[in-house]
Amino acid sequence: MLAGLGLGALAGGALAQRYSNSAVRIYCLCEIILGLFGLASIPILHWLGTATSSASFAVYCLCICAFLCLPTILMGMTLPLLTESLTRLNNSFTSTVSTLYAVNTYGAALGAIIGAYVLISFLGLDFAVYVAVTINFLLAASVYFALPKIKSGIHSHQANSQPREIINETNIKLGTKMYIWVFATGFVAIGLEIVWFRTIELIVKSSPYAFATVLGIYLTGIGIGSSLVNKFLSAKPKINRSQLYFTFQCAISAYVVLSYTLLTTYPAKKLIALSNTQELHPSLTTKLFESLSAFQNGWFVYFDILLWPIFFMLIPTILMGASFPLISSIVHNNKMEPGKTVGLVYFLTIIGNVTGGIITGFVLLHHVGTSCTVLSLCFLGLATFSGPLITGKLTYKSKILVLGLLIIPLLALTRYPNSEQLIQGLHPKAGNDYTCFIQESSSCVDLAYNKGEEVCHYINGLAHGGRQPHMYGFAVRAIDSLCCTSKHENILVIGYGTGTIVETLLRSEEVKSVTVVELNEAVMINLKKMPLFKRLLSDNRIKVVVDDGRRFLNSTSNKYDIILMDPLRSSTFPATISIQKSSLK
């Protein structure tokens, strides 16, 4: 998706420069095609789901890329096209980019929140798509009918010969050397978004609402920053924009290190414990007004799905949002057309996003864990952006600020949590006599507490299975299945959990083979660290396959006497219910 946006931005910039007089018309055409694609996307997705149900993961990826290619390229084209036209209208490049970028991200934030909390939850996925399609068509129509006024305004401004925005000469000279920093900004920004989501989902639990809220706050912060930077630059037109840009990037890294360090303090631990009292967030079942103590302990879980993203992301994303118009104005010079400038900056940012997403998601998180990934990204940001600041000409106040931005993270390291401390601190606590086992991977965070035969098990913050004296339901399901079939030599179990079903099945001497299909390899790696599961999984009749259950069933030719699956929270979230209803139509 990000690659498509970047290519679209580059293409949109080239079209805006070549067909500057028709940029608005091209924008309208993009919106119309997006709307038509949206209408066609529902049957296309249904067909793709059926056609690729037994395909390899490589084929999955190719199909996803092919499906997203056209819409994302069109989306990426829109910002350069509008920038070209509106800059010619008001002759202020920074103001135009700032306003468009802010409005764009505000709309995206609103779409994420309303889409998850209202449209998908209550009306279903198909209806949400139809709403988006309607918006595409309305945008195309409104801009098209406003085209005569836009052209009239452009001609009027050209006739009045208003001067173009003047940018500090120092910044113009630096502009051609800023591309590596644009790439680095995108790299760090997307890397931090990934680790933020992983951290927050462990606290408020993984759900459609958690993802939508994190995305909504992330985009809202970017919109606020983009709006504020225009006012700031208008008030201080002579400020050195390059130094301001580098300061913003260092401040982002300093804040992130400090915020993760604060998780080790007592107030943060207390609030995390309150969040861990509920699995559904936002929790609207807590009876707040039964008593004063109920209100004191319950109010936070009503709003924590909003408050935790604000704590982690709001300040850094405001600075990120301010950075895009700022870096665009630095790269921009009066010989390059506005649309091409924005397209180029956006493209380089997206290339950084794609690279940062791949390295963060598939390399850093998998091999060094969340805690070290955060440090790696922050110190990469500090190392990249502090150099130009230190070597530049700074005022006394600026030197103090830069020194503070470099010292704060170093001081925070004295209390910064390691990987085990961070992950365990975000989960519910077990007794002191329990041993904690943690396994992080690119797909999930698996944590288990073990004491003898007792196990508490969490995947991405949510309880999955477990072995406690009262948890005999899993064994009952296995016994029922054995009693209801005359033959049970070959059995398939989708999802290992903590192995109670598999262990119960293997107590029958008639069972010759049990195939376990587990989606998360990290789960099996973590469980095998415990002596209990080393023993349980040493049975020669067990075969473990790391795969998606549906894909495995569609791709295998084997026949099974019994197929067992115990999906947890299959209808916990309204969004899940809506998805199920939509798929049954």
Side-chain angles (χ1 to χ4, degrees), residues 26-40 70-71 74 77 133 136-137 140:
I26 299 173
Y27 168 82
C28 294
L29 182 61
C30 289
E31 293 294 344
I32 291 172
I33 298 174
L34 278 170
L36 294 173
F37 182 87
L39 288 175
L70 176 62
L74 292 172
M77 290 171 61
V133 167
N136 285 132
F137 289 145

Side-chain angles (χ1 to χ4, degrees), residues 477-479 481-482 491-493 500-509 511 514 541 562 564:
R477 293 176 182 82
I479 293 170
S481 67
L482 293 173
I491 301 175
L492 173 66
V493 178
T500 304
I501 288 177
V502 175
E503 181 186 11
T504 305
L505 293 171
L506 291 174
R507 290 181 182 272
S508 170
E509 294 181 357
V511 175
V514 175
R541 292 175 291 174
I562 301 173
L564 278 168

Side-chain angles (χ1 to χ4, degrees), residues 329-403:
S329 70
I330 295 170
V331 173
H332 178 65
N333 61 65
N334 292 330
K335 295 180 181 179
M336 185 183 291
E337 293 299 323
K340 185 176 181 180
T341 299
V342 171
L344 180 61
V345 173
Y346 199 25
F347 172 74
L348 291 170
T349 303
I350 294 297
I351 294 300
N353 288 158
V354 172
T355 309
I358 292 172
I359 292 177
T360 301
F362 295 101
V363 179
L364 293 177
L365 286 178
H366 188 80
H367 293 287
V368 302
T370 305
S371 177
C372 291
T373 299
V374 172
L375 275 185
S376 300
L377 292 169
C378 290
F379 280 97
L380 171 64
L382 288 172
T384 304
F385 298 108
S386 62
L389 270 180
I390 295 172
T391 57
K393 296 180 180 179
L394 297 175
T395 63
Y396 178 76
K397 291 182 179 180
S398 298
K399 290 179 181 179
I400 296 297
L401 176 61
V402 172
L403 187 63

Side-chain angles (χ1 to χ4, degrees), residues 170-186:
T170 304
N171 295 325
I172 293 175
K173 292 177 182 178
L174 275 173
T176 56
K177 302 176 183 178
M178 294 294 290
Y179 300 129
I180 186 66
W181 287 301
V182 177
F183 173 87
T185 302

Side-chain angles (χ1 to χ4, degrees), residues 4-23 26-27 30 73-85 88 93 324 332 335-348:
L5 290 173
L7 292 172
L10 201 61
L15 287 173
Q17 184 181 29
R18 186 170 182 178
Y19 304 104
S20 57
N21 293 327
S22 302
I26 299 173
Y27 168 82
C30 289
I73 287 175
L74 292 172
M75 291 175 189
M77 290 171 61
T78 56
L79 182 61
L81 291 169
L82 285 180
T83 301
E84 178 68 29
S85 296
R88 295 172 66 204
F93 174 80
F324 182 78
H332 178 65
K335 295 180 181 179
M336 185 183 291
E337 293 299 323
K340 185 176 181 180
T341 299
V342 171
L344 180 61
V345 173
Y346 199 25
F347 172 74
L348 291 170

Side-chain angles (χ1 to χ4, degrees), residues 16 23 27 159 259 272 308 349 351 424 432 486 492 505 530:
Y27 168 82
S259 65
I272 291 171
W308 284 115
T349 303
I351 294 300
Q424 190 172 356
N432 293 328
S486 58
L492 173 66
L505 293 171
M530 304 176 223

Side-chain angles (χ1 to χ4, degrees), residues 77-147:
M77 290 171 61
T78 56
L79 182 61
L81 291 169
L82 285 180
T83 301
E84 178 68 29
S85 296
L86 296 183
T87 301
R88 295 172 66 204
L89 183 64
N90 62 19
N91 283 341
S92 177
F93 174 80
T94 305
S95 176
T96 299
V97 175
S98 175
T99 302
L100 286 176
Y101 195 54
V103 172
N104 182 271
T105 49
Y106 284 143
L110 195 62
I113 298 298
I114 293 179
Y117 281 86
V118 180
L119 297 179
I120 297 176
S121 292
F122 296 104
L123 301 171
L125 280 172
D126 290 2
F127 188 86
V129 172
Y130 294 140
V131 170
V133 167
T134 303
I135 293 173
N136 285 132
F137 289 145
L138 288 175
L139 273 173
S142 60
V143 174
Y144 181 80
F145 287 115
L147 186 58

